[in-house]
Amino acid sequence: MKRIKRYIWLLPPAAVMITVLLLSLKMYWQGDAVTFGFFIPAENEDFSSIPFTSVSEIPESMKNHYFNSTGRFFSHGITQLFCAFAGKGWFAIFNAIFWGAFIFMLSKLASADIRNPRVSFIASFFTFLLFFPFSSEQSFPLEPPHQIDYVWMGVLSMVWVYAFFKKYDAKNFTQLFLLGLLSVIAGVCNEAMSIPIGGAIIVFAIIKRFRLTPAQWMMSVLYGISALFEILAPANFQRMASGWSLMHTFENLLPSLVIPACWLFVLIFFKSKRIAKTNNQYSIFLWATIIINYIVGIYLGMGSGSRMLTIANAFFIVLIIKDLDGTRPHLLGFALLSILFLLLAGYRFFSITRLNDKNILIEKSYHESKDGVVTLPDSIYFYEYRSFVVRPHPYMMKERALYPDKPDIRIRPASLESLDLSKDTNMLIKIGPQRWIMIRSKKSPADFFIEKNLLPWLSGKKLPTRKIDWDLINSETVIDSTELWKAAVYENDRPYIISNIYMRR
C-alpha cells in the first residue's frame, strides 16, 4: 500500500497525457496542419500544391516562411517535419510527452515537489485548463502547428527561465556552451513568448543594477539577439499590418482571464503567504513577463486569443502552485476539479468528432466533384463556417498534388441550392435566426450593410454599421461567384450581439 501511495502523484499527469494522446490521434488535420505538409515557396510563386521530396527541403521552406509568411521559422520547421514526414502517430506520442514536460516545468518554476500529489494534481489540472479554453476561436487545436507553437515552445521557454536563475561555474565551458545554445533556441521559439520574456530580462537587469552573473549576462545577450531576429522577421510586419478591432480584442481576452481569475480566488480565499516568502527578484521577473505579455497581446489585437498569453498564464499557474503549496488538501475540491476535467475532455472529444465529420465530408465531396462545388447540409456548413469560408485553400492542396487541373473548391450551404441562381439579380434571404444569404448582381450590384447592437444588459449600444466588402479575397462572407453574381452568407454567432442585414441599391 505504501508503494502504491508513493506513485499516486503520477496519476494526474498520466491522465492528462493519455487524454492528449487519444485526442491528438483523433484530431483530423485541417487548415495549417495540411498547409505545413507542403513546401512553402518564395514570394509570388504558386502556393497551390508543392509537395516535399525530402527533409532537406525544410530549411529552404522556412527561409521563405521567414520572409513571406509568419516568420516563426524554428517551431514551424519542426511542424513541417511532423506534418510532411513523421505523421499523426509520432506527433501524438511526442505531444503527450511535452504536455507532461509542461506540467513538470510548472512545478520546477514554483520550487514545488512534483511528487507531492497535491502539486501534481494542481499543475496537471491547470495545464489542461490553460490549453482547453471555453471558445473554439480561442482554442489550441490538437494539431502540430498549434501544439508545437505553444505547448512545446512553452516548455522550452520555461526551461530557459528555470536555467536563468540557477548558479553555474563560470569556468565550465561545456556548461556555458549548452546554456548559450539553449538561449539562442529559446529566443527564436515564438515571438509571443520571447517579447515578454525579453522585456522581463531588461526589467530584471535594471532592478539588479545590471549586476548579473557572467552566465546570466551571456544568456541574456544571446536570448535578446535571437529574439530580435525572430521578432524583426519581415513576415511579422505583414501580419501586424492586417489591423484589429477593440471588440475583437475584448472578445478574445475573456477566455484568457480564466487562469488569473483562479489565481485571485486562491489568493483571497486561501490567504496564502507564500508570495512573501518567494525570492523577490524572481517574483519581479514573473510579474514583468505576465504584464508585458498582456500589454503586447492587447496592443496587437489578441488575434490568437488565449494562445498569445500562454507564457503569462503559465506563470499565473506557477503562482497558484506556490500559493497552494503547504495548504491542507480539500478532497471535495479535488473531486469537483476532476469532474470538470472529465467534462472538458468530453466536450473536446465531441467538438473534435463534429469538426472531423465536417472535414471528411468536404474532402470526400471535393474529391468526387468535377466542378469544385461542395454542398453541405446547413447544420454542418454553419458549424465553424469561417474555418473553411476564409481558408478553403488547404482542402485543395492534396487534390492538386494528384490532379493539378482540379478547379477551385466552392463550398455552399444547402440553402443556397434551393434558390433560383440563373438570374442576374440582388437577393437577401433570412434563412434562420441571425443567419442570412446574400446574392449580389455583377451587372447592377446592390450594397449590403450589417448593423450590430449589444444586448440591453450590455448597454444596448449600437455598434458602427459595416458595409460588406465583396472585393476582399479573405472576406468572412463571400463564398461563391459566377459570371452573373456573387453569393455570401453571414451568421452572427456572438451571443451578446444582435445583428441585422439590409440591402440598398
Side-chain angles (χ1 to χ4, degrees), residues 34-41 49-62 64 76-77 79-85 397 401:
V34 175
T35 302
F36 281 113
F38 290 80
F39 183 84
I40 297 176
S49 53
I50 307 176
F52 282 103
T53 57
S54 70
V55 176
S56 61
E57 293 177 335
I58 292 180
E60 182 182 355
S61 178
M62 286 298 99
N64 298 336
H76 286 175
T79 300
Q80 290 215 295
L81 177 65
F82 280 96
C83 289
F85 298 102
M397 299 186 77

Side-chain angles (χ1 to χ4, degrees), residues 29 43 126 138 149 170 271 285 308 500:
W29 287 3
E43 189 175 11
F126 281 103
Q138 314 300 326
D149 268 354
K271 299 179 181 179
F285 188 96
M308 285 285 291
N500 183 48

Side-chain angles (χ1 to χ4, degrees), residues 2 15 55 109 112 161 228 296 355 442:
K2 290 184 178 179
V55 176
L109 289 179
V161 172
L228 284 174
V296 172
L355 191 62
K442 289 188 175 181

Side-chain angles (χ1 to χ4, degrees), residues 116-180:
N116 182 330
R118 186 187 305 107
V119 172
S120 173
F121 182 89
I122 294 169
S124 300
F125 174 79
F126 281 103
T127 296
F128 194 80
L129 187 63
L130 171 61
F131 295 115
F132 277 64
F134 306 100
S135 170
S136 60
E137 192 172 345
Q138 314 300 326
S139 65
F140 294 79
L142 287 155
E143 303 166 332
H146 307 89
Q147 297 291 301
I148 293 174
D149 268 354
Y150 296 96
V151 182
W152 299 26
M153 296 302 108
V155 171
L156 182 58
S157 296
M158 288 193 290
V159 168
W160 186 91
V161 172
Y162 178 77
F164 184 75
F165 285 94
K166 301 288 287 184
K167 293 182 179 180
Y168 304 99
D169 182 2
K171 297 181 181 179
N172 189 327
F173 176 80
T174 302
Q175 196 175 66
L176 293 178
F177 173 79
L178 293 176
L179 289 173

Side-chain angles (χ1 to χ4, degrees), residues 50 72 77 91 101 155 195 197 222 354 386 389 397 417 490 494:
I50 307 176
R72 201 175 291 163
F91 166 74
V155 171
I195 290 176
I197 290 177
L222 291 178
R354 195 175 180 188
R386 290 186 181 87
V389 173
M397 299 186 77
E417 294 296 298
Y490 179 81
R494 292 169 171 82

